Amino acid sequence: MIYEPTICIVAQGRKQAALGRTRYIYDPARYLTASINLPVMGSVIEASEAKPYLCLQLDLDVTELADLVLRHPPPAGASIGPAEGLALNDVSPALLDAAARLLSLLDTPDDRDALAPLVTREILYRLLTGPGGGVIRHMVQADSRLNQISRAILWIRARYRQPCRIEDAAEIAGMSRSTFHEHFRAITSMSPIAFRTQLRLQEARRLMVSEAADAASAGFAVGYDSPSQFSRDYARLFGAPPARDAERLRSESGARGLPTFGDATADRETSHA
């Protein structure tokens, strides 16, 4: 799926998000922040019928965050740390309390319009002033490395089926090729080419599972000219050849009554609460 700017606070269970070769495990003690659009493979790694996985996802309103950043600058001399695409931080009692109050408004719909924006702003304030506040500040700085890479990511997402030159993506980001590579890898945990490949393979997987496309057609649809190269890349990422993996997913989805995949360029984490 594509993680857009969001936070995920777990109430019960554990989940793993994989970005490139980096794994992020979050649970009731740690929340996940996604600061830019990233292709992530997520899997619930702790849940049961008696104790299902429960998570609150909250989209990050960059306009609201920018206002908070202006009103609450960092202490003099404080470092805001490096830019990160995904980050884990400890859940503070104050953040947890605000999240619980936001969820409680589901039981009082008459209060929702008046109180939900206030509690949401409090959550954003807790994020800004907490240990992960540096990432939030990077998000709203127009000239930050995070925003420069974010522009390139949007450009790559719009063209991932087509051949695209790294020099063009670097130009969109306003960086030299070498600087672009360095910061892209630091923020996304993968190279620009690996990022594009993951977008392609996630969309090919969706086509095979949700639209019953065969492997050759799915590979061609996402930009592969060579079926053998597509099969190798697919197996390297998902651990099985395309047809076998798609058949397994279709069987599991049918047996459990699960929804099929959304478009790889727009799918989101769906465990809102």
PDB file of all heavy atoms in Angstrom, residues 118-137:
ATOM      1  N   LEU A 118     -10.827  20.263  17.659  1.00  0.00           N
ATOM      2  CA  LEU A 118     -10.005  20.700  18.789  1.00  0.00           C
ATOM      3  C   LEU A 118      -9.105  19.568  19.286  1.00  0.00           C
ATOM      4  O   LEU A 118      -7.916  19.777  19.560  1.00  0.00           O
ATOM      5  CB  LEU A 118     -10.905  21.184  19.924  1.00  0.00           C
ATOM      6  CG  LEU A 118     -11.872  22.335  19.590  1.00  0.00           C
ATOM      7  CD1 LEU A 118     -12.733  22.666  20.800  1.00  0.00           C
ATOM      8  CD2 LEU A 118     -11.100  23.568  19.133  1.00  0.00           C
ATOM      9  N   VAL A 119      -9.674  18.363  19.394  1.00  0.00           N
ATOM     10  CA  VAL A 119      -8.878  17.234  19.874  1.00  0.00           C
ATOM     11  C   VAL A 119      -7.830  16.849  18.833  1.00  0.00           C
ATOM     12  O   VAL A 119      -6.692  16.511  19.173  1.00  0.00           O
ATOM     13  CB  VAL A 119      -9.784  16.032  20.205  1.00  0.00           C
ATOM     14  CG1 VAL A 119      -8.948  14.887  20.769  1.00  0.00           C
ATOM     15  CG2 VAL A 119     -10.863  16.433  21.205  1.00  0.00           C
ATOM     16  N   THR A 120      -8.201  16.925  17.559  1.00  0.00           N
ATOM     17  CA  THR A 120      -7.240  16.619  16.499  1.00  0.00           C
ATOM     18  C   THR A 120      -6.066  17.591  16.545  1.00  0.00           C
ATOM     19  O   THR A 120      -4.907  17.189  16.402  1.00  0.00           O
ATOM     20  CB  THR A 120      -7.923  16.676  15.122  1.00  0.00           C
ATOM     21  OG1 THR A 120      -8.975  15.706  15.081  1.00  0.00           O
ATOM     22  CG2 THR A 120      -6.927  16.387  14.014  1.00  0.00           C
ATOM     23  N   ARG A 121      -6.359  18.861  16.746  1.00  0.00           N
ATOM     24  CA  ARG A 121      -5.278  19.838  16.845  1.00  0.00           C
ATOM     25  C   ARG A 121      -4.403  19.544  18.063  1.00  0.00           C
ATOM     26  O   ARG A 121      -3.177  19.701  18.005  1.00  0.00           O
ATOM     27  CB  ARG A 121      -5.852  21.262  16.924  1.00  0.00           C
ATOM     28  CG  ARG A 121      -4.777  22.358  16.896  1.00  0.00           C
ATOM     29  CD  ARG A 121      -5.417  23.734  16.858  1.00  0.00           C
ATOM     30  NE  ARG A 121      -4.433  24.786  16.966  1.00  0.00           N
ATOM     31  CZ  ARG A 121      -3.784  25.359  15.956  1.00  0.00           C
ATOM     32  NH1 ARG A 121      -4.031  24.950  14.722  1.00  0.00           N
ATOM     33  NH2 ARG A 121      -2.910  26.317  16.137  1.00  0.00           N
ATOM     34  N   GLU A 122      -5.010  19.122  19.155  1.00  0.00           N
ATOM     35  CA  GLU A 122      -4.213  18.759  20.334  1.00  0.00           C
ATOM     36  C   GLU A 122      -3.281  17.588  20.008  1.00  0.00           C
ATOM     37  O   GLU A 122      -2.109  17.582  20.408  1.00  0.00           O
ATOM     38  CB  GLU A 122      -5.117  18.383  21.497  1.00  0.00           C
ATOM     39  CG  GLU A 122      -4.321  17.980  22.735  1.00  0.00           C
ATOM     40  CD  GLU A 122      -5.184  17.488  23.872  1.00  0.00           C
ATOM     41  OE1 GLU A 122      -6.415  17.667  23.822  1.00  0.00           O
ATOM     42  OE2 GLU A 122      -4.612  16.906  24.822  1.00  0.00           O
ATOM     43  N   ILE A 123      -3.777  16.584  19.268  1.00  0.00           N
ATOM     44  CA  ILE A 123      -2.928  15.449  18.882  1.00  0.00           C
ATOM     45  C   ILE A 123      -1.748  15.937  18.044  1.00  0.00           C
ATOM     46  O   ILE A 123      -0.599  15.531  18.262  1.00  0.00           O
ATOM     47  CB  ILE A 123      -3.751  14.399  18.117  1.00  0.00           C
ATOM     48  CG1 ILE A 123      -4.743  13.717  19.064  1.00  0.00           C
ATOM     49  CG2 ILE A 123      -2.834  13.354  17.469  1.00  0.00           C
ATOM     50  CD1 ILE A 123      -5.706  12.779  18.376  1.00  0.00           C
ATOM     51  N   LEU A 124      -2.017  16.820  17.091  1.00  0.00           N
ATOM     52  CA  LEU A 124      -0.941  17.353  16.255  1.00  0.00           C
ATOM     53  C   LEU A 124       0.065  18.129  17.102  1.00  0.00           C
ATOM     54  O   LEU A 124       1.281  18.049  16.872  1.00  0.00           O
ATOM     55  CB  LEU A 124      -1.521  18.248  15.161  1.00  0.00           C
ATOM     56  CG  LEU A 124      -2.465  17.574  14.152  1.00  0.00           C
ATOM     57  CD1 LEU A 124      -2.945  18.583  13.116  1.00  0.00           C
ATOM     58  CD2 LEU A 124      -1.796  16.391  13.479  1.00  0.00           C
ATOM     59  N   TYR A 125      -0.436  18.858  18.100  1.00  0.00           N
ATOM     60  CA  TYR A 125       0.463  19.592  19.002  1.00  0.00           C
ATOM     61  C   TYR A 125       1.331  18.612  19.798  1.00  0.00           C
ATOM     62  O   TYR A 125       2.531  18.835  19.983  1.00  0.00           O
ATOM     63  CB  TYR A 125      -0.362  20.465  19.950  1.00  0.00           C
ATOM     64  CG  TYR A 125       0.454  21.093  21.056  1.00  0.00           C
ATOM     65  CD1 TYR A 125       1.259  22.201  20.813  1.00  0.00           C
ATOM     66  CD2 TYR A 125       0.434  20.559  22.346  1.00  0.00           C
ATOM     67  CE1 TYR A 125       2.028  22.769  21.822  1.00  0.00           C
ATOM     68  CE2 TYR A 125       1.186  21.119  23.364  1.00  0.00           C
ATOM     69  CZ  TYR A 125       1.980  22.214  23.094  1.00  0.00           C
ATOM     70  OH  TYR A 125       2.740  22.763  24.101  1.00  0.00           O
ATOM     71  N   ARG A 126       0.742  17.514  20.274  1.00  0.00           N
ATOM     72  CA  ARG A 126       1.510  16.512  21.018  1.00  0.00           C
ATOM     73  C   ARG A 126       2.583  15.894  20.133  1.00  0.00           C
ATOM     74  O   ARG A 126       3.695  15.600  20.598  1.00  0.00           O
ATOM     75  CB  ARG A 126       0.584  15.430  21.569  1.00  0.00           C
ATOM     76  CG  ARG A 126      -0.477  15.910  22.541  1.00  0.00           C
ATOM     77  CD  ARG A 126       0.128  16.536  23.763  1.00  0.00           C
ATOM     78  NE  ARG A 126      -0.919  17.007  24.681  1.00  0.00           N
ATOM     79  CZ  ARG A 126      -0.688  17.769  25.741  1.00  0.00           C
ATOM     80  NH1 ARG A 126       0.553  18.151  26.028  1.00  0.00           N
ATOM     81  NH2 ARG A 126      -1.673  18.162  26.524  1.00  0.00           N
ATOM     82  N   LEU A 127       2.266  15.676  18.869  1.00  0.00           N
ATOM     83  CA  LEU A 127       3.268  15.147  17.939  1.00  0.00           C
ATOM     84  C   LEU A 127       4.406  16.142  17.753  1.00  0.00           C
ATOM     85  O   LEU A 127       5.586  15.780  17.751  1.00  0.00           O
ATOM     86  CB  LEU A 127       2.623  14.847  16.588  1.00  0.00           C
ATOM     87  CG  LEU A 127       1.553  13.764  16.542  1.00  0.00           C
ATOM     88  CD1 LEU A 127       0.963  13.686  15.144  1.00  0.00           C
ATOM     89  CD2 LEU A 127       2.118  12.414  16.952  1.00  0.00           C
ATOM     90  N   LEU A 128       4.052  17.409  17.573  1.00  0.00           N
ATOM     91  CA  LEU A 128       5.049  18.446  17.326  1.00  0.00           C
ATOM     92  C   LEU A 128       5.977  18.628  18.516  1.00  0.00           C
ATOM     93  O   LEU A 128       7.186  18.820  18.351  1.00  0.00           O
ATOM     94  CB  LEU A 128       4.345  19.768  17.007  1.00  0.00           C
ATOM     95  CG  LEU A 128       5.237  20.991  16.804  1.00  0.00           C
ATOM     96  CD1 LEU A 128       6.126  20.809  15.581  1.00  0.00           C
ATOM     97  CD2 LEU A 128       4.387  22.247  16.667  1.00  0.00           C
ATOM     98  N   THR A 129       5.446  18.573  19.716  1.00  0.00           N
ATOM     99  CA  THR A 129       6.242  18.842  20.912  1.00  0.00           C
ATOM    100  C   THR A 129       6.817  17.570  21.532  1.00  0.00           C
ATOM    101  O   THR A 129       7.517  17.642  22.541  1.00  0.00           O
ATOM    102  CB  THR A 129       5.389  19.572  21.964  1.00  0.00           C
ATOM    103  OG1 THR A 129       4.221  18.788  22.269  1.00  0.00           O
ATOM    104  CG2 THR A 129       4.956  20.931  21.448  1.00  0.00           C
ATOM    105  N   GLY A 130       6.537  16.412  20.925  1.00  0.00           N
ATOM    106  CA  GLY A 130       7.051  15.155  21.426  1.00  0.00           C
ATOM    107  C   GLY A 130       8.387  14.796  20.794  1.00  0.00           C
ATOM    108  O   GLY A 130       8.993  15.592  20.067  1.00  0.00           O
ATOM    109  N   PRO A 131       8.867  13.577  21.038  1.00  0.00           N
ATOM    110  CA  PRO A 131      10.183  13.169  20.527  1.00  0.00           C
ATOM    111  C   PRO A 131      10.264  13.101  19.011  1.00  0.00           C
ATOM    112  O   PRO A 131      11.361  13.146  18.459  1.00  0.00           O
ATOM    113  CB  PRO A 131      10.393  11.779  21.165  1.00  0.00           C
ATOM    114  CG  PRO A 131       9.019  11.307  21.510  1.00  0.00           C
ATOM    115  CD  PRO A 131       8.244  12.529  21.868  1.00  0.00           C
ATOM    116  N   GLY A 132       9.125  12.982  18.331  1.00  0.00           N
ATOM    117  CA  GLY A 132       9.133  12.952  16.868  1.00  0.00           C
ATOM    118  C   GLY A 132       8.832  14.296  16.229  1.00  0.00           C
ATOM    119  O   GLY A 132       8.541  14.367  15.028  1.00  0.00           O
ATOM    120  N   GLY A 133       8.929  15.350  17.009  1.00  0.00           N
ATOM    121  CA  GLY A 133       8.573  16.673  16.495  1.00  0.00           C
ATOM    122  C   GLY A 133       9.452  17.157  15.361  1.00  0.00           C
ATOM    123  O   GLY A 133       9.014  17.949  14.514  1.00  0.00           O
ATOM    124  N   GLY A 134      10.707  16.679  15.303  1.00  0.00           N
ATOM    125  CA  GLY A 134      11.597  17.104  14.229  1.00  0.00           C
ATOM    126  C   GLY A 134      11.065  16.715  12.862  1.00  0.00           C
ATOM    127  O   GLY A 134      11.155  17.493  11.904  1.00  0.00           O
ATOM    128  N   VAL A 135      10.515  15.516  12.736  1.00  0.00           N
ATOM    129  CA  VAL A 135       9.950  15.074  11.463  1.00  0.00           C
ATOM    130  C   VAL A 135       8.796  15.980  11.050  1.00  0.00           C
ATOM    131  O   VAL A 135       8.658  16.353   9.876  1.00  0.00           O
ATOM    132  CB  VAL A 135       9.472  13.610  11.558  1.00  0.00           C
ATOM    133  CG1 VAL A 135       8.698  13.205  10.303  1.00  0.00           C
ATOM    134  CG2 VAL A 135      10.661  12.681  11.761  1.00  0.00           C
ATOM    135  N   ILE A 136       7.963  16.356  12.022  1.00  0.00           N
ATOM    136  CA  ILE A 136       6.832  17.240  11.742  1.00  0.00           C
ATOM    137  C   ILE A 136       7.329  18.585  11.214  1.00  0.00           C
ATOM    138  O   ILE A 136       6.785  19.139  10.254  1.00  0.00           O
ATOM    139  CB  ILE A 136       5.984  17.455  13.005  1.00  0.00           C
ATOM    140  CG1 ILE A 136       5.480  16.120  13.563  1.00  0.00           C
ATOM    141  CG2 ILE A 136       4.824  18.399  12.717  1.00  0.00           C
ATOM    142  CD1 ILE A 136       4.603  15.333  12.639  1.00  0.00           C
ATOM    143  N   ARG A 137       8.395  19.109  11.809  1.00  0.00           N
ATOM    144  CA  ARG A 137       8.915  20.400  11.361  1.00  0.00           C
ATOM    145  C   ARG A 137       9.502  20.297   9.957  1.00  0.00           C
ATOM    146  O   ARG A 137       9.348  21.213   9.141  1.00  0.00           O
ATOM    147  CB  ARG A 137       9.959  20.918  12.358  1.00  0.00           C
ATOM    148  CG  ARG A 137       9.358  21.222  13.721  1.00  0.00           C
ATOM    149  CD  ARG A 137      10.353  21.853  14.687  1.00  0.00           C
ATOM    150  NE  ARG A 137       9.775  21.945  16.027  1.00  0.00           N
ATOM    151  CZ  ARG A 137       8.956  22.928  16.420  1.00  0.00           C
ATOM    152  NH1 ARG A 137       8.640  23.900  15.579  1.00  0.00           N
ATOM    153  NH2 ARG A 137       8.465  22.929  17.639  1.00  0.00           N
TER     154      ARG A 137
END
